[in-house]
Amino acid sequence: MYDVHEPEPVLIVGAGLVGLTTALALHHHGVPAVVVEKHSGTSIQPKARRFNFRTMEVFRAIGVADAVYAAAEGLAAHQGMRAGRTLVESEPLPPPPHVDYADLLAASPERSCLVAQDLLEPVLLREARDRGIPVHFATTLTDLADDGTGVTATLTGAAATDGALAASFGAGSAIEATGVGAPGDATVVRASYLVGADGAHSTVRSLLGIERSGLGALGDAVTVYFRADLGALTAGREFNICQTEHPAAPGALASVDGRYRWMFMTGLLLPVADDPTAPADPRWADVVRTAIGAPDVPVEVLSALAWQPTMRVADRFSAGRVLLAGDAAHVMTPYAAAGANTGIQDADNLAWKIAAIRSGTGGAALLDSYHDERHPVAYHVAEQSALRTGGLRDLAPPTLDHPFALVAGAQYTAGAVVDDGRGPQPTDRLELSGRPGTRLPHLPLAGGRSTLDLAGAEPVLLPAPDAAGWRAAAEKLSVPVADAGPGWPAAAGLAGDGALLVRPDRIVGWRSPTTSDDPIRALTSAIDAILGR
């Protein structure tokens, strides 16, 4: 853990998937955080459901993976894709011909899982509160000011008026003013940093005046969230998504709990209410029954929400000590929950950097690397997600990245990394071979551990077995050293006397395939570059 030199906690605006993950990741690195959310609770809509193995690696690192897998048990059998005129008439779709799942299983100690967002957010909330992280609902950010040494934020709502928010920040957090007792009173708090994880219509982004770029709105859609006991109809037809091709009900059915809760996404534009709690047009129940292919099945429509598949990415992910993450930074089409997964990896990237800067270990330039690294990755994923929005029967065009490369094959080419001149990461396949800026290669270690578990609270040296010079330099400089096992050099592109540095977010920060004439100087330079010093 880093020693904290700045007493004020980090203020996180937004208690969705990304905000809660950011709080948990900060706590993992020894940084206190306070979370506020304008809504009265976690999501009441299923929304995102597919969480890929890179996200599960983040959850593994912060100690919540087992709880997430437990929440996903209800959909464990609902992994495949189907298509047909209706659900009843549907057939299973074969896996894409260019996808080798053996590669996927070898790439990570974790696996992807299906769990609805309205089930996952309460899991993360419970984990946060179990760790003592304050989370305040019905609390709204109305203003912020960054003076270069911290962020002053004005908050209104229940927690602001009953003193709970002030208690969360404490006397050491420089609370400048409180208004307690009357509706509309505000609490003004002092935070070391502020993370805007407050969604596509982000107040934080608006207050910063940050514009967005991208393809914009790509059409119109409606998601119908409904209850129906389809246990008998789906036995032997278990699915993640089922494309329906009936002319009166074209769209896709998605499993939420595998029996009673479902979503139907369609381009049909029957009337919908602005309020998700308002009664839905009764015609939606008929459309859903048509898509299912069972005209007599009882259907209770819980909501029908209109939305637009959209690709918009903030032009800046940071402004001083205020940072954007998740949908506040990048809005994507819902391909494989790309937006949620990308946002969780934003949190993973950001947390260790804030921890390093707060402690004085990292320089101010380290904060700039957040935008430098995450913006190009998020823009690329958003663009690829938009290109993949279409029917399940369509094969991906050859210009698109390999799906596993899109999940785990991103490379940071600028930021807190040292380029070794070996060229860019390929995108037509998943190749994790130790390039700086890419996720550390996974090799299994004893006791169910992985090389990914060797990452620590600060950059860690992983030397090859014969790298005595690098080991001696690390000892001289008090750089942590970890043993990655005998298969490590080949997997990481190292000779027997090479080494690499792995960042706390399991990204390779620097690699030297062989030894150096001056390992102390080379290692010092690499550490300084990674930590922005």
Side-chain angles (χ1 to χ4, degrees), residues 469-492:
W470 293 120
R471 291 178 184 272
E475 182 177 2
K476 180 75 172 177
L477 298 171
S478 299
V479 174
V481 177
D483 183 6
W488 176 246

Side-chain angles (χ1 to χ4, degrees), residues 81-311:
M81 304 294 187
R82 302 181 66 88
R85 187 171 181 269
T86 65
L87 167 61
V88 170
E89 300 169 88
S90 68
E91 298 291 339
L93 293 176
H98 57 284
V99 171
D100 184 349
Y101 286 94
D103 291 344
L104 178 63
L105 293 174
S108 176
E110 300 296 333
R111 63 190 187 277
S112 67
C113 68
L114 280 173
V115 54
Q117 185 168 336
D118 63 341
L119 293 180
L120 179 54
E121 284 185 5
V123 170
L124 299 180
L125 176 63
R126 182 181 68 245
E127 294 288 338
R129 286 179 165 163
D130 285 350
R131 288 159 172 77
I133 300 171
V135 182
H136 300 287
F137 291 97
T139 302
T140 301
L141 175 79
T142 59
D143 198 10
L144 64 87
D146 178 357
D147 64 11
T149 62
V151 182
T152 301
T154 304
L155 301 159
T156 63
T161 58
D162 67 9
L165 189 61
S168 295
F169 277 81
S173 298
I175 297 173
E176 297 181 354
T178 59
V180 179
D185 282 348
T187 295
V188 180
V189 299
R190 181 79 171 171
S192 55
Y193 298 88
L194 188 151
V195 179
D198 51 342
H201 303 290
S202 169
T203 298
V204 175
R205 189 185 64 243
S206 177
L207 289 171
L208 294 175
I210 294 177
E211 301 292 335
R212 295 184 293 175
S213 302
L215 300 176
L218 302 173
D220 295 287
V222 173
T223 294
V224 182
Y225 175 32
F226 67 96
R227 289 182 61 87
D229 185 353
L230 303 185
L233 287 175
T234 57
R237 293 190 183 91
E238 292 84 1
F239 63 90
N240 171 9
I241 297 176
C242 176
Q243 180 172 306
T244 60
E245 296 158 345
H246 193 292
L253 289 159
S255 300
V256 175
D257 69 1
R259 178 163 183 177
Y260 298 106
R261 297 198 300 147
W262 310 87
M263 291 188 293
F264 179 62
M265 294 159 284
T266 181
L268 293 176
L269 298 178
L270 294 177
V272 297
D274 292 334
D275 180 0
T277 63
D281 188 300
R283 288 175 291 178
W284 281 117
D286 295 331
V287 171
V288 166
R289 278 188 283 266
T290 299
I292 295 169
D296 297 326
V297 66
V299 170
E300 178 191 3
V301 175
L302 302 175
S303 66
L305 301 177
W307 57 284
Q308 291 185 311
T310 299
M311 182 249 171

